[in-house]
Amino acid sequence: MEDRQFDEGTTLDRFLIETMRQYPGATGTFVNLIQSIALAGKMISARVNRAGLAGLLGETGEVNIQGEFVQKLDRYANETFMRSLEHRGHTCMVVSEEEAEPMKVGGKWHSGRYVVTVDPLDGSSNIDVNATIGTIFGVFRRKSEEGTPAETRDVLRPGSELLGAGYLIYGSGTMLVVAAEFGVHGFTLDPSVGEFFLSHPNIRMPSPGRIYSINDVYWDDFGQGVRDFLTAVREPKRKMSSRYIGSLVADFHRNMLKGGVFLYPATGKSPEGKLRLMYEAFPLAFIAEMAGGGATDGKRRILDIVPESLHDRVPLVIGSKDLVDEATALMKND
Ligand code: AHM
Ligand code: MG
């Protein structure tokens, strides 16, 4: 792709349209899909900002497929995403953290070309304390024929087959980060005009990284390799910092901009790890690699893993290349 310079004030729409024009054969369907996701993000962002005033804090009383209490905002974010992906003809199936079964986009629109995996509201335990939360998504191009209902083989496939991925973070500002063949780019929402503007073009993950992020309350439960890694990064001469928000997307975003590693390894309580492969690990691993970083489960490259079921969990080590390599080398016998 030609190295195009975008000036200040470039909107998401202009960026997408001008970038896609450089790909012969692009039909604009992917642009359309990202626009739908951006719209859902704006709606969720508006709700997140008003949650305390709109009676949207707290739990609904339901328990989701993950065995977790559903927060009111979880449900709103899930419904908003589903609605915005349903009607524009670009999607044939959506796999959501909040839904036991994939949503097949049916009727006359089931010819859609893309399969979307989504964690509609990541870091829900942070909602009630106004800490940063987010949305994570991945996009596959379907394998089955367009114009027919989506099939299992369209979605149970390695992350290396992702076409694009991204996330939204709802923090002190709202950002959309999108990764695809065109690289990793960040857009910041200007709420006064309701548009995303290019603010972080061509994001690259700094290496060596200086931050490590882990919930070390599980120390006794971690494998020896994880403990050796933590002992190594805590050496005073390395001058590392420890930062952990408890919202994967926010921890990942900070580490991507500043350089660092996030770990959620296997524990005695969660031998498969806690985080979900299809809509948390895959999209972020895709973004990390596109930005020059890495992602493993301590042994294997995340993007090489083939899911067995929609809600598989996986241990995750993700971030700057040097720290991911160091941790993975130590964890190989865990
Ligand atoms: P969620 O998708 O239900 O919010 O759960 C995933 C979250 C991640 O965002 C975060 O990294 C992790 O759970 C925190 O877990 P812990 O409280 O065990 O540190
Ligand atoms: Mg999550």
Side-chain angles (χ1 to χ4, degrees), residues 125-267:
S125 64
N126 279 319
I127 294 172
D128 288 357
V129 293
N130 281 354
T132 300
I133 49 184
T135 297
I136 307 172
F137 63 91
V139 181
F140 289 104
R141 188 175 184 140
R142 69 185 298 177
K143 284 183 166 171
S144 59
E145 204 183 321
E146 286 183 42
T148 62
E151 298 171 25
T152 308
R153 67 186 168 115
D154 293 321
V155 68
L156 290 183
R157 51 205 281 202
S160 54
E161 293 181 8
L162 281 167
L163 191 75
Y167 57 84
L168 287 126
I169 51 170
Y170 316 109
S172 49
T174 292
M175 265 191 81
L176 168 65
V177 173
V178 184
E181 203 184 320
F182 51 61
V184 185
H185 305 278
F187 302 82
T188 301
L189 180 67
D190 180 341
S192 62
V193 290
E195 284 278 7
F196 282 103
F197 290 91
L198 183 64
S199 52
H200 297 67
N202 290 313
I203 299 174
R204 304 295 298 166
M205 208 174 240
S207 188
R210 287 270 168 265
I211 298 169
Y212 71 96
S213 310
I214 189 166
N215 187 346
D216 65 5
V217 76
Y218 305 115
W219 175 274
D220 289 337
D221 249 4
F222 289 148
Q224 189 55 45
V226 177
R227 293 198 290 246
D228 288 346
F229 175 72
L230 293 178
T231 305
V233 292
R234 287 170 181 178
E235 276 288 319
K237 66 173 182 306
R238 290 188 65 168
K239 297 191 167 47
M240 301 278 290
S241 286
S242 164
R243 295 282 182 275
Y244 190 77
I245 297 171
S247 176
L248 169 66
V249 65
D251 280 310
F252 174 80
H253 179 70
R254 181 203 51 244
N255 291 352
M256 183 164 71
L257 295 188
K258 295 193 166 180
V261 65
F262 172 94
L263 301 95
Y264 207 114
T267 62

Side-chain angles (χ1 to χ4, degrees), residues 95 99-102 155-156 276 278-279 307-312:
V95 174
E99 306 278 347
E101 297 298 327
V155 68
L156 290 183
R276 276 55 56 114
M278 298 230 46
Y279 34 80
E308 287 172 14
S309 68
L310 297 175
H311 300 287
D312 281 1

